[in-house]
Amino acid sequence: MRNKQYEWHLKALTDIWTGDVDRESKRLILTGLLGSIRWWFEVLVRGLGGKACDPTVDGVRCPDEKGHRCVVCKLFGCTGWARKFRLMVLSENGDIIQNRIQAGQTFILRFIPLRPIHDEEWCLLDATLRLIANYGAMGGKTVFKPSDEEGRERVHHHQDFGIVQYVQGPKDWKCTKTLEDIKAYVTGSHWRQVPHSYRDSQGREHDFSWASLQNFWCVKGRYLARQDANTSSFNFVIGRPEPKNVSSQGDSWLAGKRPDRQRNVEPESKKVFSFKEPEAARRTFGFVQDKEGFSPILQKLEILRDGDGDGRQPDPVWSDFDPDTEFMKGNRILKELFSRREGE
Ligand SMILES: [Zn+2]
């Protein structure tokens, strides 16, 4: 039984973007999809109090000099340690999907164990897919990075992608672990204790601890967008100038950074994402740098609801916005992800 394969059925509500190199590509890029699932798995593990390396960075990725690996690499693999599973992406008819997954398409993620996978790991995978479907989007770090290509960035920015619906988990399986079990698993002392920031060879400090469910927020049913040439609720929230064609004087942590090779500036993802379509799955979500980052976001969302009494009109999209029930954060989401409901 331990090597039984498990399948998740998901439905794409928008197209799913899996490649970051060739934006015109019509092919499904399996490593892109896998990278995205892994990225959210890392977010989940950090949110549970565990440590997860950044596999894209030299000197941070596992293993460490003693050969220790983090809980994420144990399942997803790293140098010298193969991934514990093979992933196949299938259509409802069981055919291998080769082209980009399109809006309306139901697809199956089949995880075929190559080595025994612990119950906790299956539970984490299941929770990761629920997190993506219910609160996030299928597109990880690579997809969230801004394009440095003038003109293209704007096109891509407005494109809603990666919204999926969780249709069903594996047959004859459900996670029997509690949230406390899973926390105990990811914080076990045998995992590598990865630092959550590092200094690169040129002395620049990089911090990736923000990519944690503890720094995550989500509001369902509402979106941010440009309203007219002078008003953009999206830019308002991330702190960029709102009028069209006004460039910001230096980007911020929330707004991200465009790369500048000459000034040695690495690209950074923006940290707020909003999806207007499809209407039934509308959502806005984001990350803050630390706990103090939540209240400025909340204040801005309340200004969208109420107007500012100084020219900004209330945004009807945010009317009756109730922070207490709608502004979802990490611990509440964790409880939801690891509580089993009747009929599942
Ligand atoms: Zn690792």
Side-chain angles (χ1 to χ4, degrees):
M1 283 299 278
R2 61 210 297 234
N3 280 333
K4 193 181 167 203
Q5 63 190 30
Y6 286 144
E7 293 182 351
W8 276 262
H9 291 233
L10 303 176
K11 183 178 180 186
L13 302 180
T14 63
D15 288 7
I16 297 179
W17 202 271
T18 53
D20 62 329
V21 180
D22 178 6
R23 293 192 190 281
E24 302 305 319
S25 173
K26 291 276 184 275
R27 294 186 65 78
L28 168 68
I29 301 173
L30 202 56
T31 52
L33 192 67
L34 205 49
S36 167
I37 295 170
R38 179 184 177 130
W39 190 84
W40 285 102
F41 193 100
E42 293 166 12
V43 165
L44 180 62
V45 162
R46 294 188 191 108
L48 287 160
K51 302 278 188 179
C53 72
D54 182 339
T56 65
V57 177
D58 285 334
V60 175
R61 74 170 69 97
C62 298
D64 64 13
E65 58 284 351
K66 291 178 190 150
H68 292 153
R69 296 175 184 87
C70 72
V71 62
V72 182
C73 285
K74 195 72 176 184
L75 180 63
F76 283 85
C78 56
T79 310
W81 177 260
R83 199 178 331 118
K84 278 199 191 179
F85 59 85
R86 190 154 76 86
L87 174 65
M88 291 177 80
V89 184
L90 306 168
S91 72
E92 283 178 290
N93 303 327
D95 302 322
I96 293 175
I97 296 180
Q98 307 216 347
N99 291 326
R100 184 193 295 174
I101 299 168
Q102 297 189 336
Q105 194 175 1
T106 297
F107 61 102
I108 297 164
L109 299 179
R110 177 183 289 169
F111 291 84
I112 304 162
L114 303 172
R115 274 183 277 190
I117 294 177
H118 298 287
D119 286 346
E120 289 88 347
E121 291 176 307
W122 287 123
C123 290
L124 284 164
L125 257 183
D126 182 61
T128 299
L129 295 172
R130 287 174 188 274
L131 174 60
I132 291 170
N134 297 339
Y135 303 97
M138 200 162 250
K141 180 169 178 159
T142 50
V143 177
F144 292 161
K145 272 194 178 174
S147 167
D148 53 0
E149 207 179 330
E150 274 304 311
R152 300 297 298 283
E153 164 259 344
R154 191 173 291 268
V155 174
H156 192 53
H157 171 87
H158 287 295
Q159 197 174 353
D160 289 342
F161 62 88
I163 300 295
V164 299
Q165 180 188 341
Y166 184 106
V167 177
Q168 65 179 63
K171 284 200 178 69
D172 308 322
W173 177 86
K174 65 177 189 175
C175 176
T176 54
K177 303 290 176 185
T178 65
L179 178 55
E180 296 312 312
D181 294 335
I182 299 294
K183 278 185 182 166
Y185 178 78
V186 303
T187 56
S189 58
H190 57 293
W191 301 119
R192 179 183 166 216
Q193 297 301 302
V194 191
H196 275 172
S197 72
Y198 66 97
R199 200 169 283 280
D200 68 17
S201 57
Q202 296 172 43
R204 293 174 301 201
E205 183 77 19
H206 298 262
D207 184 350
F208 54 98
S209 59
W210 63 267
S212 161
L213 207 56
Q214 291 300 328
N215 294 337
F216 179 80
W217 59 272
C218 178
V219 177
K220 295 195 197 186
R222 302 184 192 269
Y223 63 91
L224 302 170
R226 168 162 296 285
Q227 284 73 46
D228 58 47
N230 288 314
T231 320
S232 160
S233 56
F234 188 87
N235 282 6
F236 174 66
V237 170
I238 65 170
R240 268 192 187 161
E242 292 185 62
K244 253 184 165 171
N245 303 322
V246 174
S247 65
S248 56
Q249 301 297 311
D251 283 312
S252 65
W253 189 84
L254 276 183
K257 283 187 187 131
R258 295 200 183 89
D260 184 338
R261 308 282 174 227
Q262 287 174 334
R263 290 197 199 144
N264 209 16
V265 174
E266 294 277 317
E268 268 180 36
S269 167
K270 60 191 163 79
K271 312 296 190 310
V272 176
F273 307 90
S274 194
F275 298 84
K276 182 181 176 185
E277 307 293 345
E279 192 175 339
R282 273 180 187 166
R283 67 193 64 182
T284 297
F285 65 85
F287 291 87
V288 293
Q289 204 162 9
D290 52 40
K291 295 272 177 289
E292 281 69 51
F294 286 118
S295 76
I297 298 273
L298 207 43
Q299 280 167 16
K300 287 186 166 174
L301 298 181
E302 288 174 324
I303 290 173
L304 291 179
R305 178 190 63 198
D306 301 333
D308 64 359
D310 187 29
R312 175 176 284 279
Q313 298 302 314
D315 181 340
V317 173
W318 290 84
S319 70
D320 303 323
F321 167 60
D322 178 6
D324 290 341
T325 55
E326 295 186 52
F327 194 72
M328 306 274 289
K329 292 196 288 186
N331 286 339
R332 188 165 146 205
I333 294 171
L334 284 174
K335 277 201 190 106
E336 198 274 332
L337 292 174
F338 289 100
S339 70
R340 293 278 72 93
R341 286 143 297 192
E342 288 300 312
E344 283 190 22

